[in-house]
Amino acid sequence: MFDLDGDGKANLTGCNPGWSCELTTNHHIEAYKLQDTVEHDQGSYTALLADAITRYEEEKPIFYYT
């Protein structure tokens, strides 16, 4: 449902590299052994969130942590 790029993993919209949410998200992915099922998408927070909002408005699933 949350696989946006067809690689079989859920795409988790994250935040900018270096932000504290990056560390928290990566910690939880490792602690709960989600590396095989979740991909942490990072980059420009503004662009990532704009995409998430667009998907929401189109009634498509979104998966994010911020």
Side-chain angles (χ1 to χ4, degrees), residues 26-52:
N26 288 339
H27 166 75
H28 282 91
I29 289 172
E30 291 176 21
Y32 295 105
K33 300 183 183 353
L34 300 173
Q35 299 92 325
D36 293 337
T37 58
V38 176
E39 180 178 6
H40 184 193
D41 293 342
Q42 297 179 259
S44 167
Y45 179 74
T46 303
L48 291 169
L49 201 53
D51 180 61

Side-chain angles (χ1 to χ4, degrees), residues 2-23:
F2 300 108
D3 181 7
L4 306 180
D5 57 9
D7 68 355
K9 294 182 179 184
N11 291 86
L12 172 63
T13 300
C15 57
N16 289 23
W19 286 12
S20 62
C21 57
E22 171 195 23
L23 300 175

